[in-house]
Amino acid sequence: MPNRTAVHSELYSPDSADNPSLNGGRCRSCGYVFFPPQRYGCESCGAPPEKLEAVQLGGRGTLHSYATVHLHMGRDIEAPFTIGLIVLDDGPAISSTLANRTDEGLAIGDRMKSVLVTASTDQAGNEMVELRFAKAEGSK
Ligand SMILES: [Zn+2]
Protein backbone atom coordinates (compact mmCIF):
# COMPACT_ATOMS: atom_id res chain seq x y z
CA MET A 1 0.00 0.00 0.00
CA PRO A 2 1.70 3.21 -1.09
CA ASN A 3 1.77 6.27 1.11
CA ARG A 4 -0.86 8.83 0.26
CA THR A 5 -0.06 12.49 0.60
CA ALA A 6 -2.55 15.30 0.27
CA VAL A 7 -1.56 17.98 -2.22
CA HIS A 8 -3.38 20.49 -0.01
CA SER A 9 -3.09 18.82 3.38
CA GLU A 10 -4.55 21.85 5.18
CA LEU A 11 -7.88 21.22 3.44
CA TYR A 12 -8.49 17.48 3.78
CA SER A 13 -7.03 14.25 5.08
CA PRO A 14 -5.45 11.96 2.47
CA ASP A 15 -6.69 8.82 4.22
CA SER A 16 -10.29 8.58 3.08
CA ALA A 17 -10.36 8.26 -0.68
CA ASP A 18 -14.12 8.01 -0.75
CA ASN A 19 -16.01 11.05 0.50
CA PRO A 20 -13.38 12.68 2.74
CA SER A 21 -14.48 15.36 5.15
CA LEU A 22 -13.06 18.85 4.75
CA ASN A 23 -11.16 20.95 7.24
CA GLY A 24 -13.28 24.01 7.84
CA GLY A 25 -13.70 26.48 10.64
CA ARG A 26 -16.40 27.87 12.87
CA CYS A 27 -16.77 31.07 14.84
CA ARG A 28 -17.57 30.47 18.51
CA SER A 29 -19.12 33.94 18.79
CA CYS A 30 -21.74 33.78 16.02
CA GLY A 31 -21.64 30.20 14.74
CA TYR A 32 -20.55 31.15 11.23
CA VAL A 33 -19.05 28.14 9.40
CA PHE A 34 -16.46 28.70 6.69
CA PHE A 35 -14.14 26.95 4.28
CA PRO A 36 -11.23 27.01 3.58
CA PRO A 37 -9.80 27.43 7.09
CA GLN A 38 -8.27 30.83 7.88
CA ARG A 39 -6.75 32.51 10.92
CA TYR A 40 -7.65 36.17 10.36
CA GLY A 41 -10.88 36.39 12.33
CA CYS A 42 -14.56 35.90 11.63
CA GLU A 43 -15.71 37.25 8.26
CA SER A 44 -19.27 37.42 9.52
CA CYS A 45 -19.13 39.15 12.92
CA GLY A 46 -15.53 40.35 13.08
CA ALA A 47 -14.59 38.22 16.10
CA PRO A 48 -10.82 37.85 16.60
CA PRO A 49 -8.93 34.72 15.47
CA GLU A 50 -8.95 33.16 18.95
CA LYS A 51 -12.73 32.77 18.61
CA LEU A 52 -12.29 30.51 15.58
CA GLU A 53 -12.15 26.74 15.94
CA ALA A 54 -11.49 23.94 13.48
CA VAL A 55 -14.44 21.80 12.41
CA GLN A 56 -14.80 18.86 10.07
CA LEU A 57 -17.28 19.52 7.29
CA GLY A 58 -19.05 16.64 5.60
CA GLY A 59 -18.01 16.24 1.98
CA ARG A 60 -21.52 16.39 0.59
CA GLY A 61 -23.48 19.17 -0.99
CA THR A 62 -25.50 20.47 -3.92
CA LEU A 63 -24.19 21.66 -7.27
CA HIS A 64 -24.93 25.38 -7.53
CA SER A 65 -23.19 26.18 -10.82
CA TYR A 66 -20.45 24.82 -13.05
CA ALA A 67 -18.29 25.74 -16.00
CA THR A 68 -16.12 23.68 -18.32
CA VAL A 69 -12.72 25.03 -19.26
CA HIS A 70 -11.76 23.94 -22.79
CA LEU A 71 -8.54 25.87 -23.25
CA HIS A 72 -6.05 26.09 -20.44
CA MET A 73 -2.46 27.24 -20.72
CA GLY A 74 -1.27 26.09 -17.31
CA ARG A 75 0.43 22.75 -16.89
CA ASP A 76 -1.14 21.81 -13.59
CA ILE A 77 -4.21 20.27 -15.19
CA GLU A 78 -5.14 19.17 -18.68
CA ALA A 79 -8.16 20.72 -20.45
CA PRO A 80 -11.01 20.14 -20.71
CA PHE A 81 -11.93 20.16 -17.06
CA THR A 82 -14.96 21.33 -15.17
CA ILE A 83 -15.13 23.57 -12.13
CA GLY A 84 -18.19 23.41 -9.93
CA LEU A 85 -19.50 25.55 -7.11
CA ILE A 86 -20.87 23.19 -4.49
CA VAL A 87 -22.89 24.43 -1.53
CA LEU A 88 -21.96 22.04 1.28
CA ASP A 89 -24.69 20.65 3.50
CA ASP A 90 -22.77 22.20 6.41
CA GLY A 91 -23.14 25.68 4.92
CA PRO A 92 -20.06 26.96 3.09
CA ALA A 93 -19.74 26.93 -0.68
CA ILE A 94 -16.63 25.42 -2.23
CA SER A 95 -15.29 25.90 -5.72
CA SER A 96 -13.73 22.63 -6.80
CA THR A 97 -12.51 20.79 -9.85
CA LEU A 98 -14.99 18.02 -10.64
CA ALA A 99 -14.03 14.39 -11.13
CA ASN A 100 -15.68 14.40 -14.56
CA ARG A 101 -13.74 16.34 -17.16
CA THR A 102 -16.80 17.69 -18.93
CA ASP A 103 -20.25 18.77 -17.81
CA GLU A 104 -21.98 15.87 -19.57
CA GLY A 105 -24.76 14.59 -17.36
CA LEU A 106 -24.47 17.42 -14.84
CA ALA A 107 -27.37 19.59 -13.77
CA ILE A 108 -27.79 22.41 -11.30
CA GLY A 109 -29.05 20.93 -8.06
CA ASP A 110 -27.27 17.58 -8.45
CA ARG A 111 -26.10 15.97 -5.23
CA MET A 112 -22.30 15.97 -5.10
CA LYS A 113 -19.70 14.35 -2.88
CA SER A 114 -16.02 14.77 -2.25
CA VAL A 115 -13.54 12.22 -3.61
CA LEU A 116 -9.77 12.06 -3.69
CA VAL A 117 -8.02 11.26 -6.92
CA THR A 118 -4.37 10.42 -7.45
CA ALA A 119 -2.92 13.43 -9.20
CA SER A 120 0.60 12.06 -9.49
CA THR A 121 3.05 9.60 -8.01
CA ASP A 122 6.45 10.74 -6.87
CA GLN A 123 9.70 8.85 -7.40
CA ALA A 124 9.36 7.06 -4.09
CA GLY A 125 5.97 5.72 -5.12
CA ASN A 126 3.95 8.01 -2.87
CA GLU A 127 0.57 8.94 -4.25
CA MET A 128 -0.26 12.62 -4.28
CA VAL A 129 -4.00 12.95 -3.89
CA GLU A 130 -6.14 15.93 -4.80
CA LEU A 131 -9.66 16.82 -3.83
CA ARG A 132 -12.40 16.62 -6.45
CA PHE A 133 -16.15 16.57 -6.34
CA ALA A 134 -18.21 13.93 -8.15
CA LYS A 135 -21.89 13.35 -8.68
CA ALA A 136 -23.20 11.33 -5.74
CA GLU A 137 -25.14 8.11 -6.22
CA GLY A 138 -28.84 8.62 -6.02
CA SER A 139 -28.80 11.83 -8.06
CA LYS A 140 -31.37 12.12 -10.74
ZN1 LIG B 1 -18.49 35.28 14.03
Side-chain angles (χ1 to χ4, degrees):
M1 176 90 186
N3 283 321
R4 300 165 61 88
T5 304
V7 174
H8 298 287
S9 58
E10 73 280 13
L11 300 182
Y12 50 85
S13 160
D15 298 327
S16 50
D18 187 48
N19 200 213
S21 56
L22 308 176
N23 300 327
R26 179 169 55 208
C27 173
R28 287 196 302 256
S29 288
C30 73
Y32 178 69
V33 176
F34 52 88
F35 179 89
Q38 50 88 1
R39 295 273 171 254
Y40 302 110
C42 180
E43 299 163 48
S44 180
C45 74
E50 54 268 27
K51 292 287 186 188
L52 304 180
E53 63 185 358
V55 289
Q56 293 284 298
L57 305 176
R60 287 185 180 272
T62 302
L63 186 61
H64 182 268
S65 60
Y66 54 89
T68 299
V69 177
H70 293 281
L71 187 63
H72 179 63
M73 296 306 179
R75 303 203 301 174
D76 50 329
I77 187 168
E78 194 179 328
F81 59 91
T82 299
I83 305 285
L85 183 68
I86 294 106
V87 179
L88 297 176
D89 293 344
D90 288 328
I94 174 174
S95 178
S96 172
T97 308
L98 302 185
N100 280 18
R101 301 187 77 82
T102 71
D103 59 9
E104 190 178 338
L106 284 182
I108 303 294
D110 276 348
R111 293 293 298 160
M112 306 295 287
K113 68 168 193 169
S114 57
V115 293
L116 293 179
V117 300
T118 302
S120 57
T121 304
D122 72 12
Q123 290 180 340
N126 297 311
E127 293 182 6
M128 302 298 292
V129 293
E130 276 189 29
L131 183 70
R132 298 276 193 274
F133 270 77
K135 200 164 168 168
E137 319 78 45
S139 298
K140 53 184 169 3

